[in-house]
Amino acid sequence: MKSAVAALLGLTVSAPALAAGQLPRTVVPLVYDIQIRPDAKAMTFTGTESVTIDVKQATQTIQLNAAGLTIGTATFDGRPASVKTDAAAQRLTVTLPKAASVGRHTLSFAWTGKINQSAAGLFAIDYTNTDGSSSRMLATQFEAPDARRFAPMWDEPAFKAKFRLSAVAPGQQLAFSNMPASAITKQADGTQLYRFAETPLMSSYLLFLGMGDMERKTAMAGNVEIGIISRKGVVDQGDYALASAKTLLAYYNDYFGQPYPLPKMDMIAGPGSSQFFGAMENWGAIFYFENELLFDPKRATESGRQRIYTVVAHEMAHQWFGDLVTMAWWDDLWLNEGFASWMEGKSSADLVPAWKSEAAAVSGEREGAMGIDATAATHPIIRKIETVDQIGEAFDGITYSKGQAVIGMLESTLGPDVFRKGIRSYMAKYKYGNTVTEQLWAELSAAAGKPVAEIAHDFTLQGGVPLVTMTGARCAGGTTTATMTQGRFGLDAASRVPQTWHVPLVVGTLGGAQTSTIVTGTAPSNVTIKGCGTVVLNRGKGSYTRVMYDEAGHAAIVRDYAKLDLADRLGTLGDDFALAAGGYQDLSRYFDVMAKVGPASDPLEWSSVAGALGRITGLYDKTPLEAPLRARSVKILSPVLAQIGFEPKPGESPLTSNLRETLVGRLGVNGDTGVADRARRYVAALATDPTAIPPSIRQPILSTYAVNATPAEWDALLALTRAEKNPVAKNRFVSLLGAARNPAIAGRALDLLKTDTISAPQKAGLLRAVAGAHPDLAFDWAVANRTLVDGFIEDSSRAGYIVGLGAGSNDPAMPGKITAYADKYLAASSRGGVTRSLSAIAVRKAAAAQLQPAVSKWVAQ
């Protein structure tokens, strides 16, 4: 009989069955030769292409994708062919003069298309230059299903092909794509024809084209040219990203064991925004919105600097996980996004240890993932995708943050060296190809010499958060024994349905030994650890699980809290708050632990506390508890700000700078008069000095001003918005116009959406900002103006955008309104956003009721 290990190590993975709506595999593209001529002024473009295809089975019809394109002509091997368009399915059916024989052929098209105002297909970004003139940049955004808006394509990740792209650009503009330009030819009409070198085999969603009044700055990293492309006058703000990318490229080349295979890697800064994404990993031509790439020392905070680094690290990791090796279908999107998220944290931890990235992820990404995963809105990491809307819905916290946490858990379980060995084998074996998750498990299992699927399947094929509970820890003869059980942590009824996981867990005694174990099922099992002392569950917080102690165990944690490692302190704060919200234990346990966070505590602990205070206050918005909670929060947090000060100190930790931002913002929102008055003085000074606010506190000062604005102060903010020439600062100002706590002012912000004062992407950001403070107002307005709203929302966000506006509501009528909207306008397969919004409302309502006695008692103390 073959053993389980042998069977797994000999795993053969068959091709996945086609999902509904996928293209047939009887014809596949090999090489696209595409030429594009945009008319930026008219917001249209024309295109031609010849595709070398491989006919696998004789056929008289060929199906491929197209959306929003008007097909002029189609030929097959030079002979005319007829085309039928199915707009709903985003598909072309080409009928040939006669059946095509098996083998290679050429399929050609000519078409016209639309340049969009928001980031889908070929789109425009309008911005103001430093001299006050206006410019228009063109760029493409194809993930997930929008390459078909650019050219007829087999627009699915499994149809990898090579691309030869050419584009006609105005004479003085720069054009850029995935590969370097192989030729630039001046045309008789003054334009330039750019011909770009042929790409490696890649998926259609990774193709990129951009052009505009841009400039480029480069640096060499080995034999790879790294470039920053930006609007003119700000390219030097890319120096930080450029230097970071050089370091990261060497790190990733080593980690993955496969050198970056393209001759160049451009990082392109677009002066716009999107409601769907901030950056996109186009192979060799990574696109970022400016705030995610360019560091302006006069305006950017320390957290902004860190954000740039981690976004660059994320997108560069995709050059391997996603670009070199690509998921076969969107079911396995987490292979792209979970790994890129994990690699951004791992590379940051190794290369910039001062940020304490691994510990920060415990109270950041981990908590964010569990917040969704412990509700009815959860889904497996690997989920069934069948429609375009479902593809868009897959880009969520489960895919990114839970994926990141599960990968980290597997690394900590197998060990870093073994894990990397498996990843290197996976990259070498499947480069330039497509995979499913089981192929990754096979390579990790081979590297470890033991199966990983038993653990991995539990965390990727079902949603939900495990809960490990410890009881009866006792020490005898120098050995500690404790009893463990595994259940499920949930915040609503749907998320409490029993499930079983094999939870890898490190259990240790404080200052003593530790042991690794697997906890599974409700039956009690004993764990023994050498030595005596306070027992710490999930030590290092490497496993994706909540943990709960009995009374004696928790009392010991509280007593020895300051002796815990930072990750365990942060994990305890997160677990205790969540367990109270779910009704597993009283909130007093959280308050007991929170009381241990003092003047000498790490900035990450105070950031965690500030976040929890904000969540508690939000539960009781517009109730009698709101005012005392705000006052209590100010009382707790203002001494911390007084200790670190408003101004940075020489040599201070970057985490202290981040905490300053958090505290200023939290105190400002809670009505601290000192912070609010300071914000008013700073913003008044912007009228004569655009950089009057110190960069270390610029963002929270602006937020404080906007939240507390009077009608006259809102007018001043609108004047600053209109006068601002920096596109990143302008986008920020636009969002701030929607932040006012005063509902009358929020109504004035909504009035802007019916004007041409701001761009389409800015309108989407402004409406979402209004929803942050006034979800009922924003939702009702959006429903009443649905056609207008649909006009400025990207297609990929449309199904979830309006219903998401109401997710923060405490009005008992809101769930019914969201459901009624969905019944009228959304297909049953496009309701992931509806489920998330309804779940968020229900969970918040239940938590408010659950915590109210303990909160009332606490604020009265």
Side-chain angles (χ1 to χ4, degrees), residues 143 157 160-161 178 200-207 256 260-262 265-266 280-287 314-327 335-337 340 426-427 430-434:
E143 190 179 37
K160 286 196 168 184
N178 306 81
L201 276 173
M202 68 182 198
S203 300
S204 56
Y205 76 91
L206 298 171
L207 185 65
F256 291 120
Y260 177 79
L262 276 65
M265 186 186 73
D266 280 326
M280 173 60 203
E281 65 269 18
N282 314 297
W283 212 2
I286 307 171
F287 179 86
H314 181 105
E315 302 307 328
M316 285 184 63
H318 272 311
Q319 306 299 291
W320 287 263
F321 256 106
D323 296 4
L324 183 63
V325 181
T326 313
M327 77 264 146
L335 286 174
N336 287 13
E337 301 301 348
Y426 174 84
M427 283 291 159
Y430 297 112
K431 59 185 177 182
Y432 303 109
N434 297 88

Side-chain angles (χ1 to χ4, degrees), residues 666-831:
R666 183 62 58 196
L667 289 167
V669 167
N670 281 324
D672 182 288
T673 55
V675 174
D677 289 345
R678 186 181 291 248
R680 289 187 170 100
R681 291 195 300 271
Y682 274 130
V683 174
L686 291 179
T688 54
D689 179 5
T691 60
I693 306 174
S696 61
I697 55 172
R698 179 181 174 89
Q699 299 307 327
I701 284 291
L702 287 171
S703 296
T704 296
Y705 179 89
V707 166
N708 297 294
T710 65
E713 288 165 346
W714 189 85
D715 285 338
L717 189 61
L718 179 59
L720 287 170
T721 304
R722 286 173 166 158
E724 182 59 62
K725 296 176 182 177
N726 181 298
V728 173
K730 192 178 188 74
N731 289 338
R732 175 64 175 155
F733 277 139
V734 169
S735 293
L736 290 170
L737 290 170
R741 187 177 285 128
N742 184 325
I745 295 177
R748 293 180 64 188
L750 292 175
D751 290 341
L752 289 175
L753 300 176
K754 294 185 176 181
T755 72
D756 294 329
T757 304
I758 56 178
S759 68
Q762 288 169 340
K763 289 178 180 180
L766 176 57
L767 181 52
R768 186 168 283 168
V770 172
H774 307 281
D776 303 283
L777 178 65
F779 177 85
D780 291 344
W781 189 94
V783 172
N785 297 275
R786 184 182 65 86
T787 302
L788 173 64
V789 174
D790 280 351
F792 59 69
I793 300 173
E794 294 158 18
D795 286 354
S796 55
S797 301
R798 191 163 291 164
Y801 181 89
I802 289 180
V803 296
L805 298 174
S809 172
N810 290 333
D811 183 351
M814 181 55 74
K817 292 196 290 186
I818 289 175
T819 300
Y821 175 86
D823 289 343
K824 189 172 183 179
Y825 296 114
L826 298 178
S829 60
S830 302
R831 297 194 182 185

Side-chain angles (χ1 to χ4, degrees), residues 205-206 244-245 247-253 255-256 258-261 265 267 279-284 286 288 308-326 334-348 351 407 423 426-427:
Y205 76 91
L206 298 171
S244 300
T247 306
L248 285 162
L249 189 64
Y251 179 90
Y252 286 155
N253 281 337
Y255 187 87
F256 291 120
Q258 297 290 323
Y260 177 79
M265 186 186 73
M267 298 186 288
M280 173 60 203
E281 65 269 18
N282 314 297
W283 212 2
I286 307 171
Y288 303 78
I308 289 169
Y309 188 97
T310 55
V311 172
V312 168
H314 181 105
E315 302 307 328
M316 285 184 63
H318 272 311
Q319 306 299 291
W320 287 263
F321 256 106
D323 296 4
L324 183 63
V325 181
T326 313
W334 89 288
L335 286 174
N336 287 13
E337 301 301 348
F339 267 88
S341 298
W342 178 73
M343 283 303 300
E344 78 179 56
K346 183 173 180 63
S347 61
S348 298
L351 298 175
I407 294 161
I423 295 300
Y426 174 84
M427 283 291 159

